[in-house]
Amino acid sequence: LNPKPRNMVEGKWTQGSGVIAHFNVVTNGIPGTSMAAFKHLKVGDRWAIVAYLRSMQKKAAETEAAK
């Protein structure tokens, strides 16, 4: 993909870091990037994606803290 997709567990979120911001990005995508919109998914499925992304971030933070 060009541009390359972002690393989901490291770095800053360009569209905000809260759950609402993540839900909006999953729903609407980010124009000019490789982040596509997923409006076609059910609302519950989009929230499940957000929960999964946040769980990856939490696990990465816990792993880093354990070092």
Side-chain angles (χ1 to χ4, degrees):
L1 295 173
N2 189 10
K4 289 179 68 171
R6 69 160 283 146
N7 179 328
M8 295 296 190
V9 297
E10 296 177 356
K12 289 189 173 189
W13 292 85
T14 62
Q15 308 297 310
S17 60
V19 293
I20 300 299
H22 291 171
F23 181 81
N24 288 337
V25 168
V26 169
T27 299
N28 302 313
I30 304 174
T33 72
S34 56
M35 180 59 201
F38 289 91
K39 288 182 182 180
H40 61 283
L41 296 178
K42 295 177 185 177
V43 171
D45 292 342
R46 286 181 266 153
W47 278 116
I49 291 168
V50 170
Y52 177 69
L53 292 172
R54 294 183 62 85
S55 74
M56 288 192 315
Q57 293 173 322
K58 182 179 179 186
K59 185 170 181 83
E62 291 169 353
T63 300
E64 188 61 30
K67 289 183 179 177

